[in-house]
Amino acid sequence: MLIYDALKKDHESVRQHLNELIMLSEGDENRRHTLIQQIRDELVPHSRAEESVFYNSLRAIDAAKDIVMHGYQEHMEAEALLRTLQAKDKIDADWKATAQKLKKALEHHIQEEEGKIFTVARQLFTDDEARMMAEAFEQLKPEVKEEGFLRTTLDMVANLMPPRFAASVRTFGLNPDAGASKH
């Protein structure tokens, strides 16, 4: 499987969960909670693994840097909407409108990614490279799924940084004392 196919598969799964959530009746709280958790469990690991494996590979090539940075921005926007949706779900307040905003944002992102970004990537990577990326992407997702909010947020920040700084952010996230001076 190529990275493009792996990403498309995840895109379709999140779309299905969001469509079901939006069509859900207001009174079906248990199903709503389950769907929102499933969306989180698919969207966040997908985003972090995609950034780490696919976007960072593209970003290393100057010709693709701008288009990928826009993708990172859209990931941040989608995650902000997801966090808002999770909060609104807890207090049962206007969650459906937020779910619709998230769906719209993700549809836009997916369209651009499967169009513009995939087109650029296919010109830059061989099928063997795209296969290796798919394997790395699939291996990373389960690890990210187990991480909490703070860890996945640090990973997002690290993915945005130049590679020479990313490792120190990840290390700091694992060991908060790493950045403290010792007297």
Side-chain angles (χ1 to χ4, degrees), residues 71-126:
Y72 280 113
Q73 178 185 352
E74 290 179 345
H75 280 189
M76 286 187 275
E77 291 169 7
E79 268 187 61
L81 286 167
L82 173 63
R83 301 302 180 196
T84 302
L85 177 61
Q86 289 174 308
K88 288 184 174 188
D89 176 46
K90 298 268 190 249
I91 60 173
D92 196 17
D94 200 26
W95 60 268
K96 195 169 276 205
T98 303
Q100 290 168 334
K101 286 179 187 174
L102 176 58
K103 181 180 187 290
K104 183 179 179 184
L106 285 175
E107 288 292 343
H108 169 80
H109 173 69
I110 290 168
Q111 181 182 16
E112 282 191 352
E113 185 171 273
E114 291 181 3
K116 294 177 186 175
I117 295 176
F118 284 14
T119 299
V120 169
R122 281 187 167 100
Q123 294 170 356
L124 298 172
F125 301 124
T126 66

Side-chain angles (χ1 to χ4, degrees), residues 3-13 15 46 114 118 122:
I3 187 66
Y4 320 108
D5 302 317
L7 296 173
K8 282 182 178 182
K9 181 181 65 130
D10 283 5
H11 293 163
E12 189 53 39
S13 180
R15 275 183 176 131
H46 169 92
E114 291 181 3
F118 284 14
R122 281 187 167 100

Side-chain angles (χ1 to χ4, degrees), residues 1 10 16 27 54 57-58 61 63 67-68 75 80 87-89 91-92 121 148 152 158 162-163 168 182:
M1 177 186 307
D10 283 5
Q16 288 174 355
F54 186 55
S57 295
L58 281 165
I61 302 166
I67 196 167
V68 171
H75 280 189
K88 288 184 174 188
D89 176 46
I91 60 173
D92 196 17
T152 60
S168 63
K182 296 179 181 169

Side-chain angles (χ1 to χ4, degrees), residues 17-148:
H17 290 316
L18 273 167
N19 286 336
E20 184 179 345
L21 179 64
I22 289 167
M23 299 304 292
L24 201 61
S25 67
E26 295 288 331
D28 199 348
E29 279 186 37
N30 289 336
R31 184 66 186 141
R32 182 178 81 220
H33 298 322
T34 299
L35 282 167
I36 291 171
Q37 187 61 42
Q38 287 174 325
I39 292 165
R40 182 269 172 220
D41 286 349
E42 289 183 22
L43 184 62
V44 174
H46 169 92
S47 296
R48 290 302 83 75
E50 179 179 57
E51 292 161 1
S52 183
V53 173
F54 186 55
Y55 281 14
N56 282 347
S57 295
L58 281 165
R59 192 174 76 171
I61 302 166
D62 281 338
K65 193 175 286 188
D66 289 341
I67 196 167
V68 171
M69 293 311 288
H70 182 70
Y72 280 113
Q73 178 185 352
E74 290 179 345
H75 280 189
M76 286 187 275
E77 291 169 7
E79 268 187 61
L81 286 167
L82 173 63
R83 301 302 180 196
T84 302
L85 177 61
Q86 289 174 308
K88 288 184 174 188
D89 176 46
K90 298 268 190 249
I91 60 173
D92 196 17
D94 200 26
W95 60 268
K96 195 169 276 205
T98 303
Q100 290 168 334
K101 286 179 187 174
L102 176 58
K103 181 180 187 290
K104 183 179 179 184
L106 285 175
E107 288 292 343
H108 169 80
H109 173 69
I110 290 168
Q111 181 182 16
E112 282 191 352
E113 185 171 273
E114 291 181 3
K116 294 177 186 175
I117 295 176
F118 284 14
T119 299
V120 169
R122 281 187 167 100
Q123 294 170 356
L124 298 172
F125 301 124
T126 66
D127 283 354
D128 284 342
E129 291 168 326
R131 250 187 294 288
M132 287 188 292
M133 280 187 247
E135 289 173 20
F137 170 76
E138 292 295 346
Q139 288 175 356
L140 188 54
K141 286 190 313 183
E143 294 174 27
V144 175
K145 183 178 177 182
E146 299 305 317
E147 295 176 351

